[in-house]
Amino acid sequence: MIEFFPNTKIFLEIGPVSITWYAVLIMTGAIIAFVISKRNLLKVGYKADDIDDIFIGTLLSGFAGARIWYILFFDFKQYLKDPMMIFKIWEGGLAIQGGLIAGAIFCYFYMKRKHINFVQAADLILPNVLIAQAIGRWGNFMNQEAFGGIVPESFFSGFPTFIKDMMFINGNYHHPTFLYESVANIVGWILIVLVLKRFSRVKRGDLTFAYLMWYGATRFFIEGLRTDSLYFFNIRIAQLISVIFLLVGLFGYLGGFQKIIGKPKPIILWDFDGTLGNTQELIIKTFKKVFEIHKPDYNLSDEEVRSFLGPTLEDTFKKHFDAERVDAIIDEYREINIAMHADYVTEMEHATEVLTTLKNDGYRMGIVSNKQTASLMVGVELLEMQDFFEVVLGSDLFNPEKPDPAGIDLALEQMNVDKGGVIYIGDTPSDIIAGQRAGSFTIGYVFDKMREKELRETNPNRVIDDLREVQEILKEDHEWTITMM
């Protein structure tokens, strides 16, 4: 027999099996927080499978940590006498701070193994935990737990009747501390995600530290009203941990950890054509040569010629030739292009100067290009730039091509670094979009003023027309873009 809402604690009863409101509300909060966080993480290039693994691992370790924390500080001896009580989670008994600590430990080691930047991911996830906490507190409400001291009935004047009725426990009305914390968590999420992020220039870690400060401060005061606190000797353990959260958050927000640990240098990845190598004339002459061979009577307009700069060869040739001929024409284009390199490839102004300075300053660099590696290396070696880069990746080594971030992801994998501190520099919209999808700080380099408008429309973090500006950008106290809902 199936019965919904047989009492205030049970959501659904199927014969002898019961699903409690407590479980439903905690899982609902966790799923909502996960959906928002996944949206944020996908925007900055994290893989869906890794995000799902993080959620499942954090959920399981968080539940285990929350339960262990509660058992340790509630009545540990009683649980030792009856170990089966440990598994009766449906009766309540989860301490969120233990869950947070256990979940953070899992995330740290998982992300380290997967080359995911822990602090960047925390910024994109942790503020949303406030939503899960806000909804989860209503599970305490349905269980008639996590309440405060006795108050007169008149205290509930203006409160909804159902809250007043549920706060009548053991013959007295009590402070609805579950409600205070639920509201405080929602307010905190709004302030951090919708106000702090949008109206201030946050640095890496600021959203995480803001969460710790807000949750630490609000929980400390609300915990003082509760009658069911967990104690460590005569100290409310939740208040002790809240003070630690608050102090850690404040220290981090003021830049204390950055001063101690230092700020790591970002990885700098470059496009090549139109960014380091001036290949525009080469590309145009190669296309014209191909059209002379295969469409000798076709007059290319200036607009058509400019449209060849940026898109992939396949996309360009499909617009002008039958699909079955495209692969052969691309091969011919590449042969012609390589043969003409020595005559038409020059370095961008100040390129070698900037690369030399960055290399001497200890920056690790690579190239990710939609050119095939063989053609790419001809240009790189012609300009004697090969010694500046740890990786040089052409489109034959990754799939799909830009604007997909696959090439950037592969470069970071080969360099054995996470994507939390990457600058990608390119001259086309596909470069900027690829960088954004990889979670990089993007710099758009304007070489051709006629193409500046379309580059700016992709909203790179910075737009420059002199490569020496990269060195100035690196001096700024900034962090990579954090994308939030």
Side-chain angles (χ1 to χ4, degrees):
M1 179 178 178
I2 300 175
E3 184 178 1
F4 283 93
F5 323 131
N7 56 55
T8 58
K9 291 186 177 183
I10 305 299
F11 172 78
L12 173 64
E13 199 168 68
I14 306 175
V17 178
S18 298
I19 300 175
T20 65
W21 275 108
Y22 185 79
V24 169
L25 289 165
I26 285 180
M27 285 304 301
T28 299
I31 290 170
I32 291 174
F34 165 68
V35 170
I36 298 172
S37 300
K38 184 172 185 176
R39 180 173 178 267
N40 294 335
L41 291 163
L42 287 172
K43 281 185 177 181
V44 296
Y46 289 106
K47 295 180 174 62
D49 287 346
D50 286 340
I51 299 170
D52 293 342
D53 289 345
I54 289 169
F55 172 70
I56 294 171
T58 302
L59 188 66
L60 294 176
S61 59
F63 269 118
R67 185 60 172 169
I68 291 169
W69 197 265
Y70 180 84
I71 291 168
L72 288 175
F73 296 106
F74 179 65
D75 191 350
F76 183 59
K77 292 181 180 179
Q78 183 61 36
Y79 282 101
L80 286 180
K81 290 179 182 178
D82 185 4
M84 292 305 298
M85 289 177 60
I86 293 173
F87 303 100
K88 297 180 180 180
I89 298 177
W90 56 88
E91 294 182 357
L94 297 175
I96 181 63
Q97 291 176 334
L100 289 171
I101 294 169
I105 291 171
F106 166 80
C107 284
Y108 175 79
F109 286 104
Y110 178 88
M111 292 177 184
K112 186 175 181 180
R113 183 167 62 87
K114 287 285 188 174
H115 298 297
I116 296 173
N117 187 281
F118 177 73
V119 178
Q120 182 191 46
D123 278 342
L124 298 170
I125 296 171
L126 201 51
N128 303 318
V129 173
L130 288 167
I131 295 177
Q133 291 173 249
I135 296 172
R137 279 303 176 201
W138 287 87
N140 297 132
F141 169 71
M142 300 304 291
N143 276 354
Q144 291 186 299
E145 61 190 12
F147 52 82
I150 295 172
V151 295
E153 183 179 2
S154 60
F155 178 87
F156 286 94
S157 177
F159 278 78
T161 301
F162 75 94
I163 291 180
K164 172 186 172 182
D165 292 344
M166 287 292 284
M167 287 296 98
F168 188 73
I169 303 166
N170 297 328
N172 292 290
Y173 289 100
H174 290 263
H175 270 293
T177 47
F178 85 92
L179 180 62
Y180 305 160
E181 190 169 340
S182 181
V183 171
N185 288 335
I186 293 296
V187 171
W189 184 84
I190 292 171
L191 290 176
I192 295 171
V193 175
L194 302 183
V195 178
L196 178 65
K197 171 60 182 73
R198 297 189 179 187
F199 297 100
S200 67
R201 189 171 179 176
V202 294
K203 304 185 299 298
R204 175 69 51 77
D206 280 356
L207 302 185
T208 297
F209 297 133
Y211 167 86
L212 292 173
M213 286 189 290
W214 180 264
Y215 176 60
T218 55
R219 179 64 188 272
F220 178 86
F221 289 108
I222 293 170
E223 190 68 22
L225 298 173
R226 287 178 55 170
T227 59
D228 60 346
S229 297
L230 305 179
Y231 282 87
F232 179 68
F233 294 103
N234 293 322
I235 302 172
R236 294 178 192 249
I237 190 65
Q239 286 189 316
L240 175 63
I241 299 301
S242 294
V243 170
I244 294 172
F245 280 5
L246 177 59
L247 293 176
V248 170
L250 183 61
F251 185 72
Y253 196 82
L254 294 176
F257 290 112
Q258 192 174 98
K259 291 177 182 177
I260 294 172
I261 300 172
K263 187 176 179 179
K265 292 181 183 294
I267 301 299
I268 303 176
L269 299 178
W270 302 78
D271 177 50
F272 183 75
D273 287 13
T275 306
L276 294 173
N278 184 350
T279 58
Q280 183 166 298
E281 187 177 4
L282 169 68
I283 293 169
I284 291 172
K285 287 188 177 294
T286 307
F287 273 113
K288 286 183 175 180
K289 186 68 174 178
V290 170
F291 273 81
E292 287 174 9
I293 295 171
H294 294 281
K295 282 190 173 183
D297 298 326
Y298 188 84
N299 292 318
L300 286 168
S301 67
D302 291 341
E303 184 178 348
E304 284 177 316
V305 170
R306 289 192 173 278
S307 73
F308 298 157
L309 304 172
T312 65
L313 294 175
E314 185 177 10
D315 288 342
T316 297
F317 284 129
K318 276 183 176 179
K319 294 177 182 178
H320 297 276
F321 299 96
D322 295 335
E324 62 270 14
R325 299 177 60 199
V326 167
D327 288 344
I329 291 173
I330 289 174
D331 290 340
E332 189 170 5
Y333 171 95
R334 287 174 176 148
E335 289 177 10
I336 296 169
N337 187 272
I338 290 175
M340 298 170 69
H341 261 64
D343 296 324
Y344 296 107
V345 175
T346 59
E347 73 168 66
M348 285 297 182
E349 190 174 13
H350 307 300
T352 298
E353 172 192 339
V354 170
L355 291 173
T356 301
T357 300
L358 296 178
K359 182 77 170 179
N360 291 339
D361 287 344
Y363 288 94
R364 301 174 63 193
M365 295 184 287
I367 292 177
V368 178
S369 169
N370 273 355
K371 255 185 160 177
Q372 284 211 331
T373 307
S375 299
L376 175 60
M377 286 305 301
V378 172
V380 171
E381 291 174 356
L382 180 67
L383 300 180
E384 299 181 347
M385 292 181 175
Q386 62 272 21
D387 292 338
F388 293 117
F389 306 107
E390 292 184 32
V391 296
V392 177
L393 301 178
S395 60
D396 52 306
L397 299 178
F398 56 84
N399 187 53
E401 298 178 346
K402 292 180 293 184
D404 191 273
I408 297 175
D409 290 342
L410 179 60
L412 298 179
E413 181 182 331
Q414 291 190 2
M415 296 172 79
N416 197 32
V417 294
D418 65 56
K419 63 172 59 186
V422 183
I423 294 178
Y424 189 69
I425 306 171
D427 69 305
T428 68
S430 63
D431 294 328
I432 302 306
I433 294 170
Q436 291 167 341
R437 289 176 177 175
S440 306
F441 183 92
T442 54
I443 298 177
Y445 174 55
V446 177
F447 164 65
D448 184 346
K449 289 291 184 181
M450 295 187 69
R451 298 166 60 203
E452 180 175 357
K453 182 176 180 291
E454 65 176 0
L455 183 69
R456 287 186 179 275
E457 286 175 350
T458 59
N459 297 314
N461 296 95
R462 298 284 191 279
V463 176
I464 62 174
D465 57 13
D466 186 326
L467 290 178
R468 291 175 297 184
E469 294 179 62
V470 172
Q471 297 166 247
E472 298 304 313
I473 292 172
L474 291 169
K475 295 176 184 177
E476 298 175 13
D477 183 19
H478 70 276
E479 288 287 358
W480 330 131
T481 298
I482 297 172
T483 306
M484 302 286 285
M485 70 168 293

